[in-house]
Amino acid sequence: MDEKIWALGERFSLAAIDGSEWLGALKAMAEMTGGTHGQLVGFVPGEVPFNWINDIDQDRIAHFVEQERGDPAINVRVRASLTDPAFVIRSEADYQAVGRSSGFDLYREMCDAYDILDGCQTKLLDEGGSFIGLAVNRSRKDGKTDADTRALFAAIAPHVRMAVKVQLALEDRGPTLLNGALEHVGLPIFICSDAGQVKGNTSEAAALLSAGHFRLVEGKLGLPHPSDEAALLHAITRLHRQPVAFETLMFRGDGKKMPMVVDICRLPAQPLRLSFGSQLLVIVRSGRRWHCAAPTILRMAFGLSTAEIDVALALARGETRDEIAAARRTSVQTVRAQLKSIFAKLSITREIELVTMFGEMLRT
């Protein structure tokens, strides 16, 4: 039997490198222990970020998770292991010992529908209320878990934990590898978790941190102005919780500098990924990317008209009032009146202030 356990352990180790092998390894574990379904599942408070079970349709698993969301008041298995350290084995007797809960009837109904009410389980990793669990789910035909099965499952669990830790280590390298690739893009880009924790950044983004345009607060990406920071964190949370993958924000700061335009996009989730959460790219528009955004920024941030935008950008590029008037086929007096309105909206008094203010926008 030891050789079979080692062989199964090697199969899980291969799954850590090739994610497509996890479901096959879980099925092999279930068969070795006399069960029907192997399961690897992650829990965070109020959420189940992944739940892999062999030979059950993914849509049915998603429906199950949507109903119970790992809530200990509903899921008797979560309640039975909630305070356990790793490798404590729980099975049917333990489920009965914790007693019926307010949501137990719903959970039993769902388990009966999938024929997975019985089995055994353990925690593999537990970090601050979030944990990864391993289980063998048994059908009515499989029968209850006996002492020999519990012992066999206990011998297998450390091998699966090692595979889980290997895959997590490989996934942790993801931001580093991505960061290296993004350095060639030449843009200020922060790589963040869906909680806003910065996992990597390009050198251009590091320069923004050094200049005080962004800041780190306990590892999370922030902004100097409180309202801007709140908007950024709200957008990150929205990307995590809602089915949107891209947002564009404009940050005004104290109103004395040009606003920053930031694109936030969620990277596609991997089908079999252990890490809790996804990754986001926070991309700050600069250089050539400002050119396309300039009219929108000036209209939204400062209320400039289309004509005023054209005049302001032309003046910032170094054109004289006479040249602007000629290009627009209007009089110098009209240009002068438009500039007076522009200065008032931008809260400046001199042309040099406008050129300085737009310097970042117009720099290639």
Side-chain angles (χ1 to χ4, degrees):
M1 182 58 70
D2 286 345
E3 290 183 2
K4 291 183 178 181
I5 293 174
W6 278 105
L8 180 61
E10 289 179 355
R11 186 163 184 178
F12 276 108
S13 296
L14 290 174
I17 300 171
D18 180 0
S20 64
E21 295 295 321
W22 274 104
L23 293 177
L26 289 170
K27 182 175 183 177
M29 177 190 70
E31 292 173 347
M32 183 179 291
T33 55
T36 301
H37 303 290
Q39 179 181 21
L40 189 70
V41 59
F43 291 99
V44 298
E47 190 175 353
V48 181
F50 64 89
N51 189 8
W52 309 339
I53 307 176
N54 66 278
D55 297 336
I56 295 183
D57 181 75
Q58 188 59 46
D59 289 339
R60 301 186 75 188
I61 295 173
H63 178 71
F64 190 107
V65 169
E66 184 179 353
Q67 297 295 312
E68 54 91 26
R69 291 195 171 277
D71 185 351
I74 298 174
N75 190 321
V76 66
R77 288 176 169 140
V78 173
R79 193 161 72 257
S81 292
L82 199 58
T83 60
D84 286 344
F87 298 138
V88 174
I89 309 300
R90 300 293 183 183
S91 59
E92 296 89 352
D94 301 294
Y95 307 154
Q96 294 176 3
V98 296
R100 297 171 65 93
S101 60
S102 57
F104 177 76
D105 289 339
L106 170 63
Y107 185 73
R108 184 181 183 89
E109 180 182 330
M110 291 190 295
C111 287
D112 279 341
Y114 296 103
D115 196 13
I116 55 171
L117 188 61
D118 296 321
C120 57
Q121 67 189 52
T122 190
K123 284 182 181 177
L124 299 179
L125 295 171
D126 190 344
E127 298 180 0
S130 301
F131 64 89
I132 295 175
L134 179 71
V136 171
N137 297 314
R138 301 174 69 86
S139 68
R140 297 179 184 89
K141 181 180 179 181
D142 298 330
K144 304 289 186 182
T145 306
D146 59 24
D148 289 341
T149 300
R150 285 173 62 105
L152 178 57
F153 179 70
I156 294 170
H159 295 275
V160 186
R161 171 179 157 129
M162 183 59 67
V164 166
K165 294 183 77 171
V166 167
Q167 182 161 333
L168 286 172
L170 291 173
E171 290 177 3
D172 284 343
R173 289 285 297 163
T176 301
L177 298 173
L178 182 60
N179 187 70
L182 293 176
E183 279 294 341
H184 299 287
V185 176
L187 292 173
I189 301 175
F190 296 96
I191 305 168
C192 300
S193 71
D194 52 24
Q197 293 283 340
V198 175
K199 302 296 185 180
N201 54 261
T202 62
S203 55
E204 289 85 355
L208 292 179
L209 285 172
S210 298
H213 297 299
F214 284 86
R215 64 180 189 146
L216 294 181
V217 183
E218 296 181 351
K220 289 187 177 182
L221 189 63
L223 289 156
H225 199 274
S227 62
D228 288 343
E229 184 164 282
L232 174 65
L233 295 178
H234 182 66
I236 288 174
T237 300
R238 190 163 54 246
L239 280 169
H240 170 50
R241 294 181 177 176
Q242 298 182 10
V244 293
F246 187 90
E247 285 211 18
T248 297
L249 302 177
M250 182 168 59
F251 300 118
R252 291 291 306 273
D254 56 11
K256 297 179 181 179
K257 299 178 180 178
M258 284 303 302
M260 285 193 303
V261 176
V262 173
D263 300 318
I264 309 175
C265 61
R266 185 177 64 229
L267 295 177
Q270 299 300 315
L272 292 178
R273 181 178 174 83
L274 287 170
S275 298
F276 297 121
S278 55
Q279 290 181 349
L280 305 174
L281 296 185
V282 178
I283 307 166
V284 185
R285 297 198 191 191
S286 65
R288 295 184 182 276
R289 301 188 78 230
W290 274 104
H291 288 255
C292 296
T296 301
I297 296 168
L298 295 174
R299 183 173 58 253
M300 293 177 60
F302 300 104
L304 270 61
S305 68
T306 300
E308 289 170 344
I309 290 169
D310 290 342
V311 171
L313 291 175
L315 188 69
R317 285 193 296 266
E319 297 178 25
T320 67
R321 297 186 183 195
D322 288 340
E323 290 170 339
I324 295 171
R328 293 183 57 76
R329 296 181 181 179
T330 189
S331 66
V332 175
Q333 288 79 9
T334 298
V335 172
R336 186 179 296 115
Q338 290 169 326
L339 283 173
K340 183 177 180 180
S341 175
I342 292 167
F343 288 174
K345 291 179 178 179
L346 297 181
S347 300
I348 58 177
T349 58
R350 297 179 301 164
E351 292 182 13
I352 187 62
E353 293 179 81
L354 183 146
V355 173
T356 301
M357 192 175 190
F358 288 11
E360 178 68 20
M361 180 180 288
L362 299 174
R363 189 178 64 203
T364 58

